[in-house]
Structure formats: C-alpha cells, structure tokens
Amino acid sequence: MSSSSNTATTITVIVIWYATNILVLLGNKFLLSNTGFRQPVFLTLCHMTACMFLGIIISASGWIPVKPLKSRMQLVKVSILAVIFCSTIVLGNASLKYLHVSFTQAIGATTPFFTALLAYFFQGARENMTTYMALVPVVVGVIIASGGEPNFHVLGFTLAMLAVAGRALKSVVQSILMSDPTEKLDPMSLLTYMSTGM
C-alpha cells in the first residue's frame, strides 16, 4: 500500500470518527432533552451493543481478526476495563440531560489533565514541565467557561467531570493492565471484548 493511500485511509478514518462522534452526541442530547426519553443507561446499552457487533462484523470479514483471550487473568483485566468504559459512557450520557453538548465537550478537554494526574498517582509517571504547563490554560479555560455557562447545572457538571475522570482512569488502567506484551490486545479486539461487558 502506497504512502498516499495510507494517508488517505488515515484521513478517512479520522473524518468518519469525528462525524460519528458528533452524530452520537447530538442524537443522545436530542433524545434526552427534546423527546421525553430519560434513559441514559439504555443509550449506553445501545452504544455498547453497536460497538460489539461492529467488532464482530469486522472480525468476521477478516479485515481485523479479534484475538482470543489467552488466560483467566486477561479476562479479569478486560472486565475491569469494561466496567470503567461502560460507567464513563453512562455518566456522559446522563450529563447530557442537564448540559449543552458544547459545554460537555469543553469539560471533556480536561481529560489530558486527569490522565496526567492519575498516571502520576497510580504509576508514578511524570511528564515534562512543558506538558504540565500546556494543561494549565485548558483547565483555566474550562473553569472560566463553567462560570459563564448560562445553563450551568451542578449535577450535570458533576456527572460530566466524573465521565472525564473515568475516561482518564480507563487510559491509565488500560496502560497498567495491558502492559504485559504477552497479553496485549490490539485496539479492535479490546473494544469488542469491553463492549460485551465481559
């Protein structure tokens, strides 16, 4: 495969990812705010089921085969990640009942801050000072946006912050639990297993 073909494929995947992300967020917000539908957990179930079936279809097509789990310990590790993954989606969906999508996305920009904090706490991993300094304007910006948000809701903000912290925790725990090269799964296999709820 040529370099230009790889670049085109990468750009296509990124555009599709952005488009589907935006559609899912706006669709969830519309359902939770405008239709009387009040079931963020059911939306999470739909999300997880769609991820699972997509992983199975891609695997069955032979494009990216899902690797089998090798041990009981690997099953436990993936199950822990599945619980964190599912919880963050439930919290994010629940926050949409109270906040605008744009505000929840602004809050989501603090994910790298939480990731750096939790990586230091759980792994002792230190970033260079430039990285920490780059996170300061993001966090300050979210604080300013929170103070000026006309539809600020304490519960919605709390749920959104917990979802962000959960996403960061998932990244750190994934790094810890899947660091063994003999048990490392590719991203599609990991997503498929996590989406089943293990």
Side-chain angles (χ1 to χ4, degrees):
M1 191 179 274
S2 69
S3 176
S4 60
S5 179
N6 280 340
T7 302
T9 301
T10 301
I11 291 171
T12 301
V13 169
I14 291 170
V15 168
I16 291 171
W17 179 80
Y18 267 106
T20 54
N21 230 350
I22 291 167
L23 287 171
V24 166
L25 274 170
L26 293 178
N28 285 350
K29 176 62 176 174
F30 177 78
L31 282 171
L32 292 167
S33 298
N34 300 345
T35 64
F37 185 81
R38 296 285 182 265
Q39 303 298 327
V41 175
F42 179 74
L43 288 178
T44 303
L45 174 65
C46 292
H47 182 128
M48 304 300 273
T49 303
C51 288
M52 180 185 68
F53 280 120
L54 183 60
I56 291 168
I57 290 167
I58 289 173
S59 176
S61 73
W63 187 38
I64 305 175
V66 172
K67 293 180 180 177
L69 294 174
K70 297 176 182 176
S71 66
R72 186 179 182 88
M73 182 53 68
Q74 191 177 31
L75 173 64
V76 170
K77 291 176 180 181
V78 173
S79 297
I80 291 168
L81 287 171
V83 169
I84 296 170
F85 181 48
C86 184
S87 299
T88 60
I89 295 173
V90 169
L91 290 166
N93 285 343
S95 72
L96 291 173
K97 288 170 60 173
Y98 308 102
L99 302 174
H100 289 301
V101 171
S102 56
F103 186 47
T104 62
Q105 291 304 291
I107 294 168
T110 61
T111 302
F113 167 77
F114 283 103
T115 303
L117 191 68
L118 292 173
Y120 176 75
F121 182 75
F122 286 112
Q123 297 176 290
R126 290 184 181 218
E127 301 292 337
N128 60 48
M129 189 53 67
T130 308
T131 302
Y132 291 121
M133 293 306 294
L135 296 174
V136 171
V138 174
V139 174
V140 171
V142 171
I143 292 169
I144 292 169
S146 300
E149 173 63 31
N151 294 310
F152 183 84
H153 191 282
V154 174
L155 179 57
F157 180 76
T158 303
L159 292 170
M161 288 300 291
L162 288 171
V164 168
R167 283 195 293 271
L169 179 63
K170 177 185 159 290
S171 296
V172 173
V173 171
Q174 186 170 326
S175 172
I176 294 168
L177 297 184
M178 305 307 285
S179 58
D180 183 349
T182 62
E183 293 191 341
K184 194 171 184 178
L185 292 170
D186 62 88
M188 185 56 69
S189 297
L190 186 57
L191 176 65
T192 302
Y193 287 127
M194 285 194 306
S195 298
T196 65
M198 298 310 295

